[in-house]
């Protein structure tokens, strides 16, 4: 018996033991089994006891790992509801055409991937034939996140189904001609087929989780009943190393998202070699998902292994499978039976005896071909189990062989991700293996032919009948005809036109106030989806808590600590706010799901996601690119924006570059409004363009990025001059002149044009006054609401000129006739305003906050970066002195006067 003193203390020592004698008997029994039958038998009994306890509902920690075997025994597998022989032939045609498409494309040097779909073919085919609901039935159908590198197989199936032509297959990865196919799932490039971009690996998993969660949100709020929609995410085992792949696993289990299934293709390989060369990725993933609260289904071995497991009367085979590292499993895939006999079976005398009962063909069948992910019956059983499980999401770990059926030159080779083509002889071997009726004479001039059994063949009829029964083609993206949303009442926007009077208001607060009014709108108010990453109080949004409620599938099961306060923390099952906690990635995934609901569900939603501007584009720009690809619509709001407006927080909070990053995204309309009425005008126009009646030539599939600042400032009334609203939307308008500002400049005074964006316009207005009163210089002040939109308009004008069309950029039109040079200033790095420099006819200069931020007062920070009013005055005098319009000594005098 084990010495009790040798047992390490545990948390159980802190629990009272009401029957120490009974406890000692259980421990003694375990010791006796260990001594008599060995530790393996003791471990087996303990696992089975824990499983029995779990099945009986006894509250015990769950096992994080199970044996390296299938979760569903062969005897428990349901019969496949369909014609397995026909499905085998359909899959064979799809395998062939996927490989042919990539191989034929390789002559153009455009690349492509063959091995991934070869490993995952049955994972997709089983779903398409039996599980994936289409969009032509009731509801929204299922949402499919297709693994990007498997896209050739999806195209091949669409070709068999008649949705794609040979010409389109031959233009795989060649889109410039207008009839090509994008490399991966790109909705913007092929919007009738693809719904979700997935090939920026790691974004598919987190997006799928938040899509499943958003489906529940829409159901709970009564927008649309999505209880019959299921989200399927197809992922790679190597992809699971991306942080985004696993960052939201506990959210999915915490909220009981049993409308979600991950299917992880465990071919044990990533791009360069084994995923876990010295370990076992399946076991690691199982522990990770079980620990996060997911239901785990393992489909590892095919039916050829049944005989081996029946011969394993002492557990030696199961133990050996558990200990062999993944890289060695890959090696078995490429070696002969003799090697496998010696290295796998020869390590254990009991296994060596088992091997004597197995033929070489049997050993090769098991180790080269028979995997759970390669048999429709195994995959079907796993999918049925996933859909039957309630209360938690399911992950299916399906073991496959990367490059399966492509021949010995591909299967399990480390380099197969980069291998783009098969030779003619390899294709002929593949044809024979798959049993396809393709003749040698069909290979004309060494070009592999596409294969198709005919539009009226049993295969195609069966495929189409199965899809019709499941609700139509899949994958498919549908934008259902819906009436444009009615414009909210003008009152909500016009209230900002009069300004704030003597009250100082930050544009962050102005935006929140605007939204608060818009969500009250009887027609569109329920369509708003406020999203915030645990910073609502920072942005002054706590007033929305009691009125809109924070979405929670459990509602509010507690009494909030601030229940007696007016703005108490209110959670509700039908809550409208998505407060995601400290996760910009999760919040962006929320935004993507909401912003594309118009296509996914035929329900237009208006999301706005408000965040620390520093932590938005910088941290999640990849997801914002995904958003653009997915044709999302909505408002991103970078709050506490600018490098100097957020006092005291310092280097990693001070945003001086988000508009520069946003400018790289073609779908992002980026604005840096200075005043509350500008915020209102931009939101009003965004609602019109994205959700109302877009003007001819306008793309509604855009999203808006507004930077708003948290510095309370006086908000002026909107100027009454004509064209102000147009200028706000297009990016530039004159806010005032020296004369309209009442500065009474002297006759023939030097003049300069000051362009400011966001909070910088307040420094420009102060500089305007200093220039007039202390230096006799007249300055006009312009509000540059969008440097990026000005640049894009100018670039379009350049392109039009090359086509022989005469068009003047808007920035040049706006500044036409403006006297003197132009000095642009912003709270961002200089390259933000410098975007438009080449299209400005006047002399150009700029100021900006380049470099890292720092902790200090706003005034000190602005002096440090040389963007405060006094610095603007010195820069303006220097520009005028260079033109000979003021004395050169004025620049030195101003520097000394202002202590620069």
């Amino acid at each position: 018996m084990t010495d009790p003193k040798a047992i390490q203390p545990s948390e159980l020592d802190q629990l009272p033991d009401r029957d120490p004698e009974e406890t000692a008997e259980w421990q003694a029994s375990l010791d006796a089994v260990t001594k008599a039958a060995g530790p393996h038998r003791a471990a087996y009994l303990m696992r089975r006891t824990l499983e029995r306890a779990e099945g009986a509902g006894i509250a015990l920690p769950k096992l994080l790992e199970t044996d390296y075997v299938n979760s569903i025994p062969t005897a428990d597998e349901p019969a496949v509801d369909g014609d397995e022989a026909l499905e085998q032939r359909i899959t064979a045609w799809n395998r062939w055409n996927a490989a042919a498409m990539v191989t034929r494309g390789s002559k153009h040097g455009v690349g492509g991937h063959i091995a991934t779909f070869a490993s995952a073919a049955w994972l997709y085919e089983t779903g398409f034939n039996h599980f994936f609901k289409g969009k032509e039935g009731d509801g929204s159908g299922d949402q499919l996140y297709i693994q990007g590198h498997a896209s050739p197989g999806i195209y091949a199936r669409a070709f068999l189904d008649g949705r794609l032509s040979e010409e389109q297959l031959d233009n795989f990865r060649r889109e410039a001609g207008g009839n090509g196919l994008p490399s991966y799932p790109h909705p913007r490039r092929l919007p009738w087929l693809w719904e979700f971009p997935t090939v920026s690996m790691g974004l598919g998993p987190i997006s799928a989780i938040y899509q499943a969660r958003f489906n529940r949100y829409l159901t709970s709020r009564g927008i649309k009943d999505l209880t019959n929609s299921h989200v399927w995410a197809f992922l790679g085992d190597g992809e699971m190393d991306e942080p985004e792949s696993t960052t939201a696993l506990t959210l999915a289990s915490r909220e009981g998202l049993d409308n979600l299934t991950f299917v992880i293709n465990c071919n044990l390989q990533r791009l360069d070699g084994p995923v876990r060369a010295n370990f076992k990725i399946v076991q690691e993933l199982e522990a990770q998902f079980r620990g996060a609260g997911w239901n785990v289904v393992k489909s590892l071995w095919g039916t050829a292994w049944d005989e081996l497991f029946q011969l394993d009367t002492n557990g030696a085979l199961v133990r050996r499978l558990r200990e062999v590292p993944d890289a060695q499993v890959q090696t078995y895939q490429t070696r002969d039976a003799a090697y496998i006999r010696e290295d796998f079976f020869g390590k254990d005398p009991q296994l060596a005896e088992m091997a004597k009962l197995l033929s070489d063909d049997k050993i090769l069948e098991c180790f080269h071909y028979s995997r759970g992910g390669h048999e429709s019956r195994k995959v079907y059983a796993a999918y049925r189990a996933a859909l039957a499980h309630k209360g938690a999401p399911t992950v299916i770990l399906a073991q496959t062989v990367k490059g399966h059926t492509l021949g010995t030159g591909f299967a399990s080779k480390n380099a197969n991700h980069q291998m783009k083509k098969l030779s003619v002889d390899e294709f002929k071997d593949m044809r024979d293996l798959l049993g396809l009726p393709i003749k040698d004479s069909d290979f004309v001039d060494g070009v592999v032919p596409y294969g198709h059994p005919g539009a009226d063949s049993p295969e195609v009829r069966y495929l189409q009948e199965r899809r019709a029964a499941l609700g139509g083609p899949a994958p498919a993206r549908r934008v259902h005809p819906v009436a444009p949303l009615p414009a909210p009442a003008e009152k909500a926007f016009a209230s900002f036109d009069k300004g704030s009077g003597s009250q100082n208001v930050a544009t962050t607060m102005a935006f929140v106030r605007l939204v608060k009014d818009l969500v009250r709108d009887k027609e569109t108010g329920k369509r708003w989806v406020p999203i915030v990453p645990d910073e609502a109080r920072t942005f002054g949004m706590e007033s929305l808590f009691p009125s809109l409620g924070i979405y929670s599938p459990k509602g509010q099961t507690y009494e909030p600590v601030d229940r007696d306060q007016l703005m108490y923390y209110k959670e509700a099952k039908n809550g409208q706010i998505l407060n995601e906690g400290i996760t910009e990635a999760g919040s962006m995934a929320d935004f993507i799901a909401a912003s594309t609901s118009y296509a996914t569900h035929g329900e237009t939603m208006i999301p706005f996601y408000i965040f620390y501007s520093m932590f938005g584009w910088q941290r999640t720009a990849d997801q914002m690119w995904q958003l653009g690809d997915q044709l999302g619509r909505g408002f991103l709001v970078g709050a506490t924006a600018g490098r100097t407006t957020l006092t005291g927080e310092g280097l990693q909070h001070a945003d001086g570059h988000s508009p520069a990053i946003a400018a790289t995204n073609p779908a992002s309309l980026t604005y840096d409004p200075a005043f509350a009425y500008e915020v209102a005008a931009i939101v009003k126009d965004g609602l019109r363009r994205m959700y109302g009646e877009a003007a001819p030539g306008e793309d509604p599939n855009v999203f808006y990025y507004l930077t708003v600042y948290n510095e309370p400032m006086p908000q002026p009334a909107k100027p009454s001059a004509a064209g102000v609203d147009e200028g706000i939307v297009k990016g530039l308008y004159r806010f005032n002149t020296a004369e309209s500002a009442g500065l009474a400049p002297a006759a023939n005074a030097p003049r300069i044009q000051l362009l400011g964006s966001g909070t910088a316009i307040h420094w420009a207005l102060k500089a305007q006054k200093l220039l007039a009163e202390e230096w006799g210089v007249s300055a006009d002040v312009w509000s540059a609401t969008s440097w990026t939109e000005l640049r894009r308009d100018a670039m379009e004008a350049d392109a039009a000129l090359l086509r022989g069309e005469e068009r003047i950029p808007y920035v040049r039109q706006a500044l036409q006739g403006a006297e003197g040079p132009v000095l642009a200033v912003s709270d961002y790095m200089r390259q933000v305003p410098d975007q438009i420099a080449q299209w400005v006819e006047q002399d150009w200069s700029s100021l900006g906050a380049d470099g890292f931020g720092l902790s200090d007062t706003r005034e000190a920070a602005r002096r440090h970066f040389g963007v405060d009013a006094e610095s603007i005055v010195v820069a303006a005098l220097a520009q005028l002195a260079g033109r000979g319009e003021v004395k050169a000594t004025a620049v030195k005098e101003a520097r000394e006067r202002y202590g620069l």
Side-chain angles (χ1 to χ4, degrees):
M1 185 173 177
T2 305
D3 180 1
K5 295 180 180 179
I7 300 176
Q8 295 296 315
S10 73
E11 68 276 6
L12 293 178
D13 294 333
Q14 302 177 52
L15 301 177
D17 189 345
R18 67 180 184 182
D19 193 340
E21 185 175 347
E22 182 183 38
T23 304
E25 290 174 357
W26 277 76
Q27 293 171 334
S29 297
L30 179 63
D31 293 339
V33 170
T34 303
K35 183 176 181 181
H40 294 303
R41 178 61 180 170
Y44 175 85
L45 290 175
M46 289 298 297
R47 287 200 303 273
R48 293 297 175 262
T49 302
L50 287 171
E51 288 173 358
R52 174 61 65 86
E54 183 178 334
I58 299 173
L60 283 174
K62 293 184 178 181
L63 289 170
L64 293 185
E65 287 185 32
T66 59
D67 287 324
Y68 203 67
V69 297
N70 294 347
S71 300
I72 304 170
T74 302
D76 293 340
E77 294 170 1
V80 177
D81 179 23
D83 190 325
E84 293 184 69
L86 269 178
E87 292 180 20
Q88 186 81 39
R89 295 216 298 273
I90 291 169
T91 306
W93 284 116
N94 292 339
R95 288 182 181 278
W96 176 272
N97 288 322
M101 173 173 47
V102 176
T103 298
R104 287 168 67 128
S106 67
K107 66 183 179 181
H108 301 291
V110 294
H113 300 284
I114 303 177
T116 294
F117 178 73
S119 68
W122 277 113
L123 302 180
Y124 292 106
E125 289 301 322
T126 303
F128 286 131
N129 288 325
H130 300 282
F131 295 96
F132 304 156
K133 294 187 286 293
K135 292 183 171 294
E136 294 173 5
D138 294 334
S140 298
D142 288 351
Q143 289 79 58
L144 309 179
Y145 288 78
I146 305 294
Q147 193 178 2
H149 293 124
S151 58
I154 309 305
Y155 289 140
R157 194 172 210 276
F159 169 65
L160 201 67
D161 192 16
R163 294 201 289 163
L164 290 176
S165 66
E166 278 196 25
E167 180 187 5
Q168 287 173 296
L169 295 192
D170 257 356
N171 284 319
F172 173 58
R173 291 194 168 202
R174 293 193 298 151
E175 301 177 76
N179 197 32
L181 299 177
S183 52
Y184 302 122
H186 293 306
R188 186 168 285 274
R189 292 301 182 208
L190 200 62
W192 61 267
L193 180 74
W194 298 119
E195 276 197 288
F196 307 111
T198 55
V199 85
S200 184
M201 288 189 285
L203 298 190
I206 189 172
S207 296
I209 290 173
Y210 279 89
Q211 181 67 58
R213 197 286 195 88
F214 189 72
N215 290 359
R216 290 282 175 85
Y217 170 87
L218 288 180
T219 302
S220 297
R221 290 195 55 215
I223 303 292
K224 187 171 185 178
D225 185 356
L226 297 170
T227 52
N228 291 325
S229 283
H230 200 83
V231 178
W232 301 82
F234 290 84
L235 318 168
D237 47 359
E239 181 179 7
M240 300 310 294
D241 283 346
E242 288 284 3
E244 295 87 352
S245 294
T246 56
T247 188
L249 296 186
T250 53
L251 167 73
S253 60
R254 183 171 68 246
E255 299 205 359
L257 298 181
D258 50 22
N259 61 338
L260 170 68
T261 297
F262 276 15
V263 181
I264 302 183
N265 177 15
C266 297
N267 56 35
L268 313 185
Q269 286 183 252
R270 52 190 179 198
L271 307 188
D272 289 332
V275 180
R276 294 291 183 270
N278 295 296
F279 306 93
K280 300 192 80 63
I281 184 59
V282 169
Q283 299 300 87
E284 179 181 320
L285 290 174
E286 179 183 28
Q288 190 170 18
F289 278 88
R290 284 187 183 276
W294 286 54
N295 175 47
V296 179
V297 177
K298 293 196 289 192
S299 183
L300 307 181
W301 309 111
T303 53
W305 283 83
D306 289 349
E307 179 183 344
L308 276 67
F309 287 122
Q310 290 171 2
L311 294 172
D312 184 30
T313 58
N314 52 32
L317 175 62
V318 174
R319 290 196 298 272
R320 181 68 178 135
L321 288 173
R322 193 164 60 238
E323 69 187 19
V324 176
D326 283 350
Q328 192 62 23
V329 174
Q330 300 296 84
T331 299
Y332 294 149
Q333 182 71 35
T334 62
R335 298 301 180 89
D336 58 20
Y339 178 88
I340 298 171
R341 284 182 186 276
E342 178 182 351
D343 192 85
F344 181 83
F345 293 97
K347 301 292 186 182
D348 186 303
Q350 294 172 321
L351 289 180
E353 289 299 312
M354 178 192 295
K356 293 177 182 179
L357 304 175
L358 304 174
S359 67
D360 285 356
D361 287 345
K362 182 66 175 180
I363 289 176
L364 293 179
E365 181 186 12
C366 288
F367 283 85
H368 284 191
Y369 306 108
S370 187
R371 299 290 188 274
H374 293 324
E375 295 187 14
S376 61
R377 187 172 294 267
K378 302 291 185 185
V379 177
Y380 184 91
Y383 287 5
R384 280 281 175 230
L387 292 179
H389 187 82
K390 300 303 177 185
T394 293
V395 60
I396 295 169
L397 303 175
Q399 186 163 261
T400 65
V401 175
K402 194 167 186 177
H404 184 60
T405 73
L406 297 181
T408 57
F410 262 84
S412 291
K413 293 297 178 67
N414 281 340
N416 62 19
H417 188 76
Q418 275 69 38
M419 297 163 69
K420 313 299 181 187
K421 59 184 178 180
L422 276 70
S423 68
V424 170
D425 288 340
E426 287 173 324
F427 265 110
K428 291 178 178 178
D429 290 342
M430 182 182 177
R431 170 200 62 189
D432 297 339
L433 176 65
L434 298 176
L436 293 173
I438 296 174
K439 302 185 292 293
D440 285 357
S441 59
D442 293 334
F443 292 81
V444 179
D445 297 328
V447 177
V448 58
Y450 293 119
H452 200 292
D456 197 40
S457 64
E459 292 96 327
V460 173
R461 289 202 307 271
Y462 179 86
L463 181 155
Q464 293 176 341
E465 288 169 0
R466 300 301 298 187
R467 288 311 316 158
L470 287 165
R477 182 178 181 272
R478 297 285 185 270
V479 179
H480 302 277
V482 293
L485 292 183
E490 180 64 25
K491 180 181 178 182
F493 306 103
S495 64
F496 294 91
D497 291 352
K498 61 184 180 182
S500 63
S502 60
Q503 182 183 8
N504 288 342
V505 177
T507 53
T508 302
M509 293 308 302
F511 177 82
V512 172
R513 177 185 149 193
L514 174 63
V515 169
K516 192 173 181 179
D517 289 340
L518 293 175
V519 296
R520 294 194 185 107
D521 186 85
K522 292 181 179 180
E523 297 290 335
T524 61
K526 69 177 183 178
R527 300 283 173 183
W528 284 86
V529 183
I531 303 168
V532 60
D534 200 37
E535 290 278 9
R537 298 183 193 278
T538 303
F539 309 137
M541 292 175 59
E542 63 267 34
S543 62
L544 299 179
F545 288 168
S547 58
L548 301 184
I550 300 167
Y551 170 72
S552 169
K554 289 185 176 292
Q556 195 155 41
T557 61
Y558 61 92
E559 183 177 355
V561 68
D562 53 359
R563 183 63 182 87
D564 58 342
Q565 297 178 15
L566 181 63
M567 293 183 286
Y568 71 97
Y569 194 82
K570 177 185 175 183
E571 295 187 83
K573 291 182 179 180
N574 64 346
Q576 194 164 347
I577 301 170
L578 291 172
N579 192 319
E580 291 305 348
I582 305 173
T583 167
E584 281 81 12
S587 299
M588 267 307 302
D590 255 340
F591 186 86
I592 292 170
S595 70
T596 54
S597 179
Y598 73 93
T600 308
H601 299 305
E603 292 288 346
T604 300
M605 305 302 289
I606 311 172
F608 80 86
Y609 164 35
I610 187 168
F611 51 87
Y612 257 110
S613 65
M614 184 67 165
F615 304 146
W617 281 93
Q618 177 165 289
R619 182 168 290 187
T620 57
D622 194 13
Q623 286 177 290
M624 291 163 181
W625 198 260
Q626 175 192 11
L627 167 65
D629 190 349
Q630 203 167 319
L631 290 79
R633 306 169 183 174
F635 296 96
L636 296 175
V637 183
T640 63
R643 184 141 281 163
T644 69
T645 65
L646 186 62
T647 57
E649 293 289 349
L651 185 147
Q652 285 196 280
H653 285 67
D655 169 29
H657 52 280
S658 70
I661 305 174
T664 65
N665 191 309
S668 173
L669 276 60
T670 303
Y671 288 89
D672 185 27
F675 304 123
Y677 67 79
E678 293 178 353
V679 173
I682 293 164
V683 171
K684 178 182 176 181
D685 191 70
L687 291 172
R688 176 200 60 80
R689 176 169 177 171
M690 295 186 291
Y691 304 105
E693 296 285 357
E698 276 187 328
D699 183 4
N701 298 314
V702 295
F703 58 92
Y704 283 63
Y705 176 53
L706 280 71
T707 51
V708 291
Y709 51 91
N710 69 323
E711 183 178 5
M713 299 293 287
Q715 297 296 328
K718 183 164 71 172
S720 59
V724 170
D725 284 334
E726 179 189 23
I728 291 172
V729 173
K730 288 191 172 183
L732 183 68
Y733 69 96
R734 183 157 50 193
F735 175 72
N736 72 10
T737 63
E739 290 79 6
S740 66
L743 296 175
N748 301 319
R751 187 174 289 268
I752 190 169
Q753 308 299 317
L754 301 180
L755 277 58
S757 68
T759 191
I761 202 167
H762 296 285
W763 322 329
L765 288 169
K766 182 179 177 182
Q768 178 190 42
K769 186 176 182 182
L770 290 174
L771 284 167
E773 294 178 350
E774 300 185 12
W775 305 99
V777 172
S778 298
D780 301 335
V781 176
W782 300 69
S783 180
T785 54
S786 180
W787 309 103
T788 302
E789 288 308 297
L790 291 173
R791 174 180 174 80
R792 287 175 178 168
D793 172 80
M795 291 172 65
E796 289 173 7
D798 286 354
L801 190 62
L802 292 176
R803 296 191 300 267
E805 304 169 15
E806 286 294 334
R807 181 176 159 194
I808 302 173
Y810 175 79
V811 63
R812 189 168 295 169
Q813 295 178 45
L815 290 171
Q816 189 172 20
E819 298 178 35
V822 168
L823 174 60
V825 59
S826 87
D827 204 15
Y828 298 95
M829 54 200 308
R830 286 178 61 181
Q831 73 182 61
V832 174
D834 283 349
Q835 291 180 85
I836 66 170
Q838 72 184 82
W839 292 282
V840 173
E841 293 181 313
Q842 292 88 345
D843 290 344
W844 173 272
S845 182
S846 64
L847 296 175
D850 286 75
F852 288 110
L854 75 165
S855 301
D856 213 311
T857 64
R858 294 183 178 115
E859 293 75 14
R862 286 161 189 166
R863 177 58 58 91
H864 170 81
F865 287 110
V867 293
D868 61 352
E870 291 77 8
S871 298
I872 294 172
V873 169
V874 172
L877 293 174
Q879 206 171 359
L880 292 168
R883 294 161 55 94
E885 297 181 20
V886 300
K887 296 179 180 179
T889 55
V891 180
K892 180 176 182 293
E893 183 183 345
R895 282 201 307 266
E896 292 174 349
R897 180 183 301 183
Y898 300 134
L900 298 181

